[in-house]
Amino acid sequence: MAVVPVYRMITLPDSNIYLQTDLYKNMTGRSPIEGEKVTIIISKKETARKDLGSESFYPIGVSGRIIEISDQGYVLVHLSTRVNLDEIYFYPDNTIELTVSRREEINDLDEQEAMAKLAAIKHELSSFSKGFEWGEALRNYIQSWNTIGDIGAGMSPWMSESNEERYALLAEDSKKLRFEKLEAMIYQNLELLRVRLKAQSVQHQNNQKLYHEQAIRKQISYLQKELDELHPEELDDIRKLELKIENAGMNETALKEARKLMNRLKAEGTDGHESGLIMDYLEFASSLPWKKEPLKEIDLSEAEAILDADHFGLEKVKRRILEQIAVMRLKKKQSGSILLFVGAPGTGKTSIGQSIAKALGREYVRVSLGGIHDEADIRGHRRTYIGAMPGRIMDGIHKAGVSNPVMVLDEVDKLSASFNGDPASALLEALDPEQNFSFTDHYMNVPFDLSDVLFICTANTIDTIPEPLFNRMEMIRFQGYTPIEKKEIAIQHLLPKALESAGLGKEDLTLENGVIEQIIDEYTREAGVRGLKKRIDTLCRSAAIQLVKGTTSPIEVKKEQLREYLDMSPIHQKLVKDSAEPGVVTGLAWTEVGGDVLYIETMKTNGSGKLTITGQLGDVMKESAQIAISLVKSMYPEQATQLEHQDLHIHVPDGATPKDGPSAGITLTTALASLVSGISVSPAIAMTGEVSLQGNVNPIGGLPEKLMAAQRSGVQKVFIPADNVDDLNDVAEEVKDQLTIIPVHTVSEVLHNLSLE
Ligand code: ADP
């Protein structure tokens, strides 16, 4: 009897196995002879021949006979009986001898059923082999298998089971159980092969390390997926998160970071003290829109129609926006210049941002920057901080859920620097097309591409926007609305929306003629329409209450009922005074909420030439006052000597933005001229302009807002710097119609016109 030790083979009774002739010779010390009895014994480990001992083998082997010796180097052995190895002898020539006894089996197998199952397995294997180049030969081989043991032996090279698992089949006494175990093994391995093949089919010829890694990951994920599909209820949180990360489309750096943290999470488990933080991060990172949105074709006339439908007027603004859209279309880009919308509250800056998104067919997201003074608000906290969070930009992107939203950054003028870093420079990094393709939020710690985001900033004033940020943006001014424009906005937009949100139909409410005008004139005082919107909302809600209480529709609102419907007293309108007195002149100021009229008051008392300035203080105002005094002294030499025995008091009301200070120059000078000459100037005459020591009137900013305020307050005549004449193109006709506008080059022209000279 020849004894042949094997390792990791499937050797079962009632099967044919091939042994290498060389191995046979090596183990037995002689050439194979047909018909010779052979016992296969199974070594526990892969052990060198010389190190084998009786402990090296499992206690059960299998015996059979050689039925064929091929001339291709194989011996075909038919195995028939399981045996217990009773004694093992080792000889110095490396041969082994045994004494064995037959090991009985439990004959519980239903042969018929087994044959059917066998046929099914062979069928499955055959059809699987069709995909292979050498499928034909393989199929013939498969057809030659007659027993489950044959299939086990034939499939053995492709099976993933360990040596121990393979031996366990042999050691199984029940034929039925052995069959079932092997059947399950074969199907499992077949699936594994399929999966492996799927993953391999995408493999390249020249696959380098990276490619190799990808293939392995794919295999793992395929296997994991198959498992997950088998037991969807067992998908735990970590696993779900992992799947989400792998499918998020992250860039290489981000994926690396996420995988690193995922590994840490797996190692620590969900109870680890950092696991909450890690999971929050991974949740956030994996739900960011990493995948690029495709470029949409934009129909310019459709975009225009959308902008027109949502907003009344704002012609210049809309034109500028359409230009931007056209440029983006030509350049095939998702973003263009960073737009900066500047204007008083309620002038439509934010809401037109929303319309732009609609016109472009993109998502809209609004991020408020007001009051931010910490860099981390923009760029996030480092994750080492407890309670660390991403910054507002990444948070906005997260909310938007797409890589190319229209992002409105509200109130850039309200950013301020502090000891916690400069938020403006962080913002610049996010906005700047030169750098924002790899914007790195501290919390994220990996770059994110913001280059497809269309940024729009809004501000009430440009005075407080840091220079470098301002220089990067293209400013579009929102000048505020005239009463006629406000009325149209109310009728076309605010009222229909208010009715809808109060649950009223169009027919439920009728307004007496002049009601809207009265709301505008007596219940609001603003450049925009925010207050107007609120009043109209209140009106509709009050009407809704009436309806609910039983008043029959339609509800009619008369002018005299407004006070009751709005539940407020009319706002005291700042109309110019009736009476004039020397030394007091009407000026025009520009404030964050639009234009305004103000009175500059001057007074002289007996004294010693002292100067007192109250109200709006600051160097600019002091300088303007000094220039005005010098000019007046030179123009009125007689009165100038008297001034040496008098104290002067100048009061400039507070409120205008500091940068607008110099534009009070002409008003200050005129007020002093009026004071010293004793001739009063009508309060219905207003002026704005910076004054030089030579008495020239220099240009100022915010003219449209100032003229609108003048008209609103009942001013009739306005002096403006001649160099500002071009700005009149931006002023509504109805405003110009109601004002006499006189451009001037010098202070003398003003004084002359007012008969002060
Ligand atoms: P801002 O951002 O300038 O403070 P909003 O965009 O919030 O102003 O506008 C306030 C409200 O007024 C919004 O409901 C907006 O729809 C409405 N509104 C402003 N301007 C217009 C306009 N030209 N046409 C229609 N509605 C407008």
Side-chain angles (χ1 to χ4, degrees):
M1 180 176 70
V3 178
V4 181
V6 299
Y7 177 75
R8 256 189 134 244
M9 276 177 72
I10 294 184
T11 49
L12 298 175
D14 204 15
S15 72
N16 289 339
I17 62 160
Y18 287 94
L19 293 176
Q20 279 179 338
T21 315
D22 285 348
L23 173 86
Y24 185 94
K25 283 185 187 161
N26 195 359
M27 288 300 172
T28 58
R30 58 178 188 264
S31 292
I33 308 162
E34 217 174 287
E36 188 182 16
K37 189 172 174 188
V38 178
T39 298
I40 303 289
I41 57 174
I42 292 132
S43 71
K44 292 178 186 165
K45 284 196 194 118
E46 204 164 8
T47 315
R49 175 74 188 84
K50 61 177 179 38
D51 298 327
L52 287 174
S54 49
E55 291 305 308
S56 309
F57 298 98
Y58 286 116
I60 300 169
V62 56
S63 298
R65 281 185 195 282
I66 295 178
I67 52 171
E68 193 185 317
I69 299 161
S70 91
D71 39 14
Q72 278 140 11
Y74 287 98
V75 178
L76 183 59
V77 179
H78 178 73
L79 300 175
S80 53
T81 324
R82 296 191 310 154
V83 291
N84 293 317
L85 313 187
D86 298 331
E87 310 261 8
I88 305 181
Y89 309 99
F90 292 91
Y91 291 96
D93 65 352
N94 277 346
T95 56
I96 304 170
E97 270 190 20
L98 300 170
T99 57
V100 297
S101 53
R102 187 187 174 94
R103 181 164 179 107
E104 292 302 332
E105 310 205 74
I106 306 169
N107 218 339
D108 49 0
L109 188 68
D110 177 339
E111 290 292 341
Q112 234 174 345
E113 191 187 338
M115 289 310 285
K117 284 186 173 175
L118 211 62
I121 296 173
K122 278 169 70 172
H123 178 74
E124 190 81 4
L125 289 173
S126 290
S127 54
F128 177 66
S129 69
K130 276 186 191 134
F132 297 103
E133 239 177 86
W134 29 273
E136 181 74 34
L138 194 60
R139 267 195 307 287
N140 289 337
Y141 179 41
I142 292 169
Q143 288 318 315
S144 75
W145 297 341
N146 293 320
T147 64
I148 186 94
D150 283 345
I151 299 179
M155 287 282 289
S156 177
W158 289 286
M159 309 238 302
S160 59
E161 276 69 23
S162 66
N163 184 53
E164 196 178 350
E165 287 166 318
R166 289 165 194 243
Y167 168 74
L169 289 172
L170 180 63
E172 178 58 62
D173 292 334
S174 153
K175 278 175 94 170
K176 181 172 185 278
L177 286 182
R178 187 186 312 141
F179 187 100
E180 283 172 1
K181 272 187 197 165
L182 185 56
E183 185 191 21
M185 256 183 214
I186 287 167
Y187 277 120
Q188 270 170 20
N189 279 283
L190 192 61
E191 279 309 295
L192 193 70
L193 281 174
R194 277 207 181 105
V195 164
R196 218 178 266 167
L197 217 67
K198 248 197 255 175
Q200 277 166 1
S201 70
V202 287
Q203 258 186 18
H204 247 226
Q205 283 304 307
N206 47 355
N207 59 349
Q208 298 305 320
K209 195 175 155 224
L210 172 83
Y211 206 75
H212 189 61
E213 185 189 323
Q214 275 178 358
I216 293 173
R217 278 193 197 285
K218 253 193 195 146
Q219 282 196 20
I220 295 174
S221 79
Y222 267 123
L223 292 175
Q224 190 66 54
K225 207 168 134 211
E226 305 256 319
L227 268 184
D228 292 342
E229 277 167 12
L230 279 180
H231 303 285
E233 69 288 352
E234 284 176 15
L235 263 181
D236 64 4
D237 289 348
I238 292 189
R239 183 70 203 117
K240 275 187 212 155
L241 196 53
E242 189 169 25
L243 278 178
K244 205 169 151 197
I245 291 166
E246 295 299 328
N247 294 321
M250 293 181 179
N251 60 41
E252 213 176 303
T253 332
L255 189 58
K256 224 172 173 175
E257 174 88 358
R259 280 181 181 157
K260 192 176 87 188
L261 288 170
M262 182 37 89
N263 286 340
R264 218 157 91 198
L265 186 62
K266 280 182 182 165
E268 285 191 8
T270 43
D271 299 331
H273 74 283
E274 268 190 305
S275 63
L277 286 178
I278 298 179
M279 279 184 89
D280 284 349
Y281 172 82
L282 292 175
E283 270 297 343
F284 183 81
S286 60
S287 45
L288 281 174
W290 296 93
K291 293 172 192 154
K292 288 258 171 199
E293 292 295 315
L295 192 70
K296 273 199 186 128
E297 266 301 315
I298 310 163
D299 181 336
L300 219 55
S301 49
E302 210 173 288
E304 188 172 9
I306 292 176
L307 291 181
D308 281 340
D310 286 354
H311 287 82
F312 174 85
L314 297 175
E315 302 307 335
K316 256 183 119 174
V317 172
K318 288 181 194 162
R319 189 162 8 106
R320 178 65 195 84
I321 291 169
L322 285 172
E323 279 167 21
Q324 166 99 338
I325 295 179
V327 171
M328 279 159 53
R329 202 179 110 159
L330 286 176
K331 287 191 170 169
K332 298 206 176 315
K333 292 190 90 174
Q334 307 239 24
S335 61
S337 346
I338 310 155
L339 299 177
L340 170 65
F341 294 169
V342 183
T347 46
K349 302 181 296 295
T350 321
S351 58
I352 209 157
Q354 204 163 1
S355 298
I356 294 175
K358 207 155 102 187
L360 294 172
R362 284 160 60 170
E363 290 296 322
Y364 163 83
V365 60
R366 183 175 163 205
V367 173
S368 173
L369 301 178
I372 283 184
H373 46 74
D374 196 335
E375 188 192 342
D377 285 324
I378 301 286
R379 211 209 295 263
H381 292 279
R382 292 190 192 283
R383 283 202 305 272
T384 40
Y385 274 84
I386 295 184
M389 280 194 307
R392 295 204 190 174
I393 302 279
M394 287 316 294
D395 196 45
I397 291 286
H398 187 244
K399 272 198 203 120
V402 288
S403 61
N404 67 344
V406 172
M407 187 180 282
V408 172
L409 301 167
D410 246 347
E411 305 193 302
V412 266
D413 52 338
K414 308 285 188 297
L415 281 178
S416 53
S418 76
F419 59 90
N420 281 330
D422 180 5
S425 67
L427 191 60
L428 191 58
E429 268 177 48
L431 301 185
D432 187 357
E434 309 263 302
Q435 337 178 25
N436 73 1
F437 55 87
S438 66
F439 176 71
T440 304
D441 179 284
H442 286 325
Y443 178 77
M444 289 298 300
N445 203 25
V446 291
F448 188 89
D449 185 355
L450 293 176
S451 62
D452 282 351
V453 180
L454 180 61
F455 287 108
I456 296 173
C457 299
T458 80
N460 293 140
T461 168
I462 58 170
D463 296 349
T464 48
I465 303 176
E467 194 88 7
L469 192 58
F470 181 70
N471 291 341
R472 277 277 167 198
M473 306 195 275
E474 275 202 40
M475 178 171 63
I476 302 180
R477 279 211 181 264
F478 284 57
Q479 256 126 20
Y481 302 111
T482 64
I484 294 178
E485 285 173 322
K486 287 180 184 174
K487 184 180 162 196
E488 285 307 315
I489 293 174
I491 293 171
Q492 294 181 25
H493 297 276
L494 305 180
L495 189 58
K497 276 189 211 153
L499 284 171
E500 195 188 327
S501 61
L504 297 175
K506 233 164 95 184
E507 63 294 339
D508 287 331
L509 185 72
T510 50
L511 303 179
E512 186 194 4
N513 258 349
V515 162
I516 302 252
E517 285 92 328
Q518 193 166 355
I519 299 178
I520 295 167
D521 289 344
E522 295 179 17
Y523 293 89
T524 66
R525 208 176 108 73
E526 59 183 351
V529 292
R530 208 169 265 186
L532 180 58
K533 179 177 184 306
K534 272 192 201 149
R535 300 296 104 77
I536 290 178
D537 285 344
T538 312
L539 186 68
C540 290
R541 276 197 306 272
S542 305
I545 291 173
Q546 298 256 335
L547 268 190
V548 174
K549 281 187 177 161
T551 316
T552 46
S553 169
I555 307 265
E556 249 193 277
V557 180
K558 297 206 179 319
K559 283 196 266 185
E560 63 268 22
Q561 296 171 303
L562 260 185
R563 200 180 176 127
E564 189 189 331
Y565 269 102
L566 297 180
D567 193 24
M568 68 183 280
S569 326
I571 295 174
H572 171 67
Q573 292 298 318
K574 197 170 178 185
L575 290 176
V576 287
K577 296 193 265 196
D578 294 335
S579 60
E581 48 193 303
V584 181
V585 173
T586 312
L588 296 173
W590 188 84
T591 74
E592 287 188 20
V593 292
D596 204 0
V597 294
L598 51 83
Y599 300 104
I600 291 188
E601 298 163 332
T602 57
M603 192 190 229
K604 55 182 198 269
T605 48
N606 286 336
S608 54
K610 264 199 318 202
L611 172 66
T612 311
I613 305 175
T614 55
Q616 183 165 353
L617 297 174
D619 292 342
V620 170
M621 207 43 76
K622 269 190 217 145
E623 279 165 23
S624 295
Q626 293 293 358
I627 291 172
I629 292 169
S630 303
L631 266 175
V632 168
K633 277 185 180 166
S634 73
M635 284 170 154
Y636 301 86
E638 267 175 47
Q639 284 89 341
T641 45
Q642 291 173 18
L643 282 178
E644 281 166 25
H645 309 289
Q646 287 167 331
D647 289 343
L648 266 184
H649 185 163
I650 300 176
H651 181 71
V652 187
D654 210 349
T657 57
K659 282 240 172 105
D660 192 47
S663 75
I666 179 96
T667 324
L668 274 167
T669 315
T670 309
L672 286 172
S674 159
L675 182 73
V676 297
S677 65
I679 302 169
S680 55
V681 176
S682 161
I685 298 172
M687 57 198 69
T688 177
E690 189 177 338
V691 170
S692 75
L693 254 186
Q694 275 80 44
N696 294 324
V697 177
N698 295 331
I700 46 83
L703 188 71
E705 287 91 340
K706 287 177 177 174
L707 292 185
M708 243 187 266
Q711 183 244 344
R712 214 171 36 227
S713 311
V715 167
Q716 279 152 15
K717 192 197 269 187
V718 187
F719 293 98
I720 64 165
D723 287 345
N724 277 111
V725 165
D726 282 350
D727 294 348
L728 289 174
N729 295 330
D730 294 338
V731 180
E733 289 304 323
E734 50 183 294
V735 173
K736 288 190 277 196
D737 286 350
Q738 290 182 40
L739 292 173
T740 306
I741 299 168
I742 306 174
V744 292
H745 293 92
T746 62
V747 172
S748 283
E749 287 171 55
V750 180
L751 301 185
H752 193 70
N753 190 293
L754 298 176
S755 310
L756 294 177
E757 221 181 20

